[in-house]
């Protein structure tokens, strides 16, 4: 009963503030304030406030939330164990999974630039030098 009275008072105060705002010709603000003010009244009229107050002060309801939490944790832990076991399937008859060597890939062909005359192979830094000079380094 107390919660319904408080919600009704909050709605009445909000509607009063909306009326003052409308009097000052701020209609958009007044409509928004009125919408917020009507929410507690609507919650009281639909019975949501009564349900919340009966649930909040009920030890049986809190015990039910606890049971739901334990069930949720059990679901998560069993799922994690399933995922861990699926990653290491062991054939029947083997104690441990065998190590498998990684597959080798075909050698790649490296593209090399031909050295200019007078330069040893592998030391063609002229393009890098040009970029550094361009940036003033």
């Amino acid at each position: 009963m107390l919660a319904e009275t408080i919600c009704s008072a909050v709605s009445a105060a909000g509607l009063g503030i909306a009326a003052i705002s409308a009097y000052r010709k701020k209609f958009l603000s007044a409509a928004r304030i009125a919408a917020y003010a009507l929410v507690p009244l609507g919650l009281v009229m639909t019975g949501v406030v009564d349900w919340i107050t009966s649930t909040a002060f009920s030890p049986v309801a809190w015990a039910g939330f606890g049971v739901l939490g334990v069930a949720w944790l059990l679901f998560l832990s069993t799922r994690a164990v399933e995922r861990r076991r699926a990653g290491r399937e062991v054939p029947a008859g083997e104690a441990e999974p065998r190590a498998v060597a990684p597959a080798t890939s075909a050698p790649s062909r490296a593209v090399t630039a031909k050295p200019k005359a007078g330069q040893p192979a592998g030391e063609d830094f002229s393009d890098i030098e040009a970029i550094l000079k361009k940036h003033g380094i």
Side-chain angles (χ1 to χ4, degrees):
M1 185 75 167
L2 181 63
E4 288 88 359
T5 305
I6 292 172
C7 286
S8 298
V10 168
S11 289
L15 290 174
I17 293 170
I20 292 171
S21 184
Y23 179 74
R24 293 182 180 169
K25 307 242 188 264
K26 297 180 180 179
F27 298 111
L28 185 62
S29 175
R32 190 172 295 130
I33 292 170
Y36 281 121
L38 290 174
V39 169
L41 187 62
L43 291 174
V44 167
M45 294 174 79
T46 57
V48 172
V49 173
D50 185 42
W51 178 79
I52 288 173
T53 56
S54 66
T55 303
F57 299 115
S58 171
V60 174
W62 284 106
F65 284 125
V67 168
L68 288 174
V70 168
W72 182 68
L73 287 174
L74 285 173
F75 279 126
L76 287 179
S77 62
T78 56
R79 193 167 182 191
V81 169
E82 269 184 354
R83 284 186 181 170
R84 208 173 261 198
R85 284 188 183 168
R88 55 179 175 145
E89 289 288 327
V90 179
E94 284 190 22
E96 294 181 17
R98 284 187 269 160
V100 178
T104 58
S105 62
S108 62
R109 292 187 181 181
V111 178
T112 58
K114 294 182 183 179
K116 294 181 182 177
Q119 275 187 334
E123 292 190 23
D124 184 24
F125 295 115
S126 61
D127 54 345
I128 296 172
E129 288 175 5
I131 293 171
L132 291 174
K133 284 181 184 177
K134 178 182 173 184
H135 291 287
I137 298 175

